[in-house]
């Protein structure tokens, strides 16, 4: 049976739903919601110049490359990927904390603007904070959409929260839970907090710095709420602890008395038995008892 297809487009092109980047099986390390949001932004923005920090298996790079005229992607590891072979894709292998400031300085020197950045590289608090500050410190980041992946992870979030956005007059909008993240259910990552897209909109052409905070104020930040919910979930999924049986103090007291009396009785019998065994008549009659035992076993 052939795969169900979408309606034929005016161009004559026919596609199935699984041909679409949001649904296609790929190495893109993002959820369907994150993929859709990123794809939507890139479709609108159509960057002339884009940067990605964190190439990994090239999933997000493929989509950034599909919408951009020029892309620079940074990763510790050199990727062996078809997307890396594309003429407008430039791979920078090494630590973004060294390579990125150098590239940004070069772009600024050339008077160029970076339209789009995906920050998805170093996931330590200090690492993500440095990548963001390097970007915001650069004049090449003037009219730019910066998207940060994994803002729902508490370690990443601490770094993202540590950036002092208010000190950059060009930062127009900060929505750190633009696409909220998730609590993993799959066994290998059960209860771990990952995902989510944060958004920083930079607009150096704003008339003036109005002194208002660029941080979104409409909604409670979702990541800390999800962290609390995760703790509730973990507690709820703990196996129920069996209640110890209720103890009646009067019954305990009664059992204590019974035990003491039984001990005393046992000691009394033990003393009596010792007295019998050490008496003269008991010792004199020992051969008789022995013969009785032998006689009984012979009868059986
Ligand atoms: C989560 S993966 C990126 C996923 C990719 N953006 C996607 O959506 O398919 C993170 C990548 O960042 C890279 N990375 C970690 N620290 C880095 C650093 N200091 N500089 C450059 N890349 C780094 C890792 O090697 C890894 O490949």
């Amino acid at each position: 049976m052939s795969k169900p297809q979408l309606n034929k487009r005016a161009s004559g092109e026919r596609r199935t739903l699984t041909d679409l980047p949001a649904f296609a099986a790929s190495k893109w390390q993002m959820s369907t919601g994150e993929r859709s949001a990123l794809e939507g932004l890139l479709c609108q923005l159509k960057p002339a110049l884009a940067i990605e920090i964190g190439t990994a298996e090239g999933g997000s790079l493929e989509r950034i490359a599909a919408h951009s005229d020029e892309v620079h992607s940074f990763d510790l590891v050199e990727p062996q990927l078809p997307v890396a072979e594309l003429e407008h894709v430039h791979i920078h292998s090494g630590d973004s904390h060294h390579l990125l400031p150098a590239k940004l300085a070069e772009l600024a020197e050339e008077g160029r603007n970076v339209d789009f950045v995906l920050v998805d590289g170093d996931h330590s608090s200090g690492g993500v904070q440095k990548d963001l500050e390097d970007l915001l410190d650069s004049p090449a980041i003037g009219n730019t959409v910066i998207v940060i992946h994994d803002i729902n992870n508490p370690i990443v979030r601490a770094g993202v929260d540590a950036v002092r956005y208010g000190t950059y007059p060009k930062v127009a909008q900060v929505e750190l839970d633009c696409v909220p993240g998730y609590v993993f259910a799959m066994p290998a990552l059960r209860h771990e907090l990952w995902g989510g897209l944060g958004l920083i909109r930079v607009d150096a052409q704003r008339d003036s710095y109005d002194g208002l905070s660029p941080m979104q104020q409409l909604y409670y930040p979702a990541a800390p709420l999800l962290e609390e919910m995760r703790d509730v979930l973990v507690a709820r999924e703990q196996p129920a602890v069996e209640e110890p049986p209720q103890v009646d103090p009067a019954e305990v007291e009664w059992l204590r008395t019974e035990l003491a009396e039984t001990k005393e009785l046992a000691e009394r019998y033990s003393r009596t038995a010792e007295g019998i065994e050490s008496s003269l008549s008991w010792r004199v009659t020992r051969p008789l008892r022995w013969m009785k035992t032998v006689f009984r076993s012979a009868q059986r």
Side-chain angles (χ1 to χ4, degrees):
M1 209 170 73
S2 62
K3 282 207 260 176
Q5 293 190 325
L6 291 166
N7 290 320
K8 198 190 247 178
R9 300 185 71 201
S11 61
E13 185 193 11
R14 299 219 68 152
R15 298 160 307 156
T16 66
L17 278 175
T18 48
D19 291 331
L20 306 187
F23 306 122
S26 89
K27 306 275 189 189
W28 191 356
Q29 298 177 15
M30 291 195 192
S31 70
T32 304
E34 292 159 356
R35 291 179 182 199
S36 304
L38 206 55
E39 195 75 24
L41 264 175
L42 289 166
C43 263
Q44 294 173 62
L45 199 57
K46 296 242 165 276
L49 177 56
I51 285 181
E52 173 184 65
I53 311 171
T55 320
E57 294 171 278
S60 48
L61 178 57
E62 269 180 29
R63 298 318 306 155
I64 299 169
H67 293 284
S68 310
D69 294 339
E70 179 180 340
V71 191
H72 294 265
S73 188
F74 297 81
D75 202 295
L76 291 170
V77 184
E78 189 175 350
Q80 305 297 322
L81 302 162
V83 67
E85 305 300 322
L86 297 176
E87 211 171 299
H88 67 301
V89 173
H90 305 270
I91 299 294
H92 303 264
S93 300
D95 190 343
S96 66
H97 306 316
H98 300 304
L99 299 179
L100 180 69
K103 185 69 203 171
L104 288 168
E106 193 186 307
L107 294 170
E109 182 70 26
E110 293 164 1
R112 300 186 68 192
N113 179 69
V114 179
D115 303 321
F116 175 83
V117 183
L118 173 63
V119 178
D120 195 14
D122 187 344
H123 281 52
S124 68
S125 305
V128 71
Q129 182 181 354
K130 172 149 176 51
D131 280 340
L132 286 171
E133 288 174 350
D134 284 343
L135 288 165
L136 294 174
D137 286 340
S138 168
I141 304 294
N143 259 286
T144 313
V145 172
I146 302 175
V147 173
I148 313 151
H149 188 225
D150 284 331
I151 44 75
N152 193 45
N153 179 267
I155 294 168
V156 174
R157 184 57 169 244
V160 174
D161 280 341
V163 177
R164 298 173 66 210
Y165 301 99
T167 61
Y168 296 92
K170 64 182 179 180
V171 171
Q173 182 186 2
V174 180
E175 280 218 36
L176 295 183
D177 296 287
C178 189
V179 177
Y182 29 80
V183 186
F184 268 105
M186 60 189 279
L189 296 172
R190 196 169 187 84
H191 299 145
E192 287 193 26
L193 294 152
W194 287 104
L197 296 178
L199 179 132
I200 302 168
R201 185 166 56 85
V202 177
D203 178 1
Q205 274 81 47
R206 289 201 303 165
D207 282 348
S208 64
Y209 179 43
D210 55 18
L212 296 175
S213 167
M215 311 303 289
Q216 81 79 22
Q217 314 277 335
L218 292 179
Y219 329 110
Y220 287 104
L225 285 177
L226 266 168
E227 196 174 353
E228 277 184 49
M229 291 310 298
R230 189 271 311 269
D231 295 344
V232 171
L233 189 72
V234 170
R236 201 171 68 195
E237 291 182 2
Q238 288 291 325
V241 180
E242 243 183 67
E243 285 285 313
Q246 289 293 315
V247 180
D248 178 358
E251 195 177 344
V252 172
E253 198 44 47
W254 179 81
L255 284 169
R256 265 205 198 109
T257 314
E258 282 284 293
L259 184 65
E261 283 176 8
T262 310
K263 267 189 189 159
E264 198 187 316
L265 205 61
E267 275 165 20
R268 213 184 304 147
Y269 280 128
S270 160
R271 280 198 298 275
T272 309
E274 276 169 19
I276 291 170
E277 281 173 18
S278 58
S279 72
L280 183 62
S281 59
W282 180 263
R283 276 185 275 139
V284 167
T285 55
R286 181 175 293 150
L288 285 176
R289 287 199 302 282
W290 178 78
M291 280 174 62
K292 201 170 154 190
T293 315
V294 171
F295 180 67
R296 275 200 191 133
S297 17
Q299 276 186 325
R300 277 189 204 132

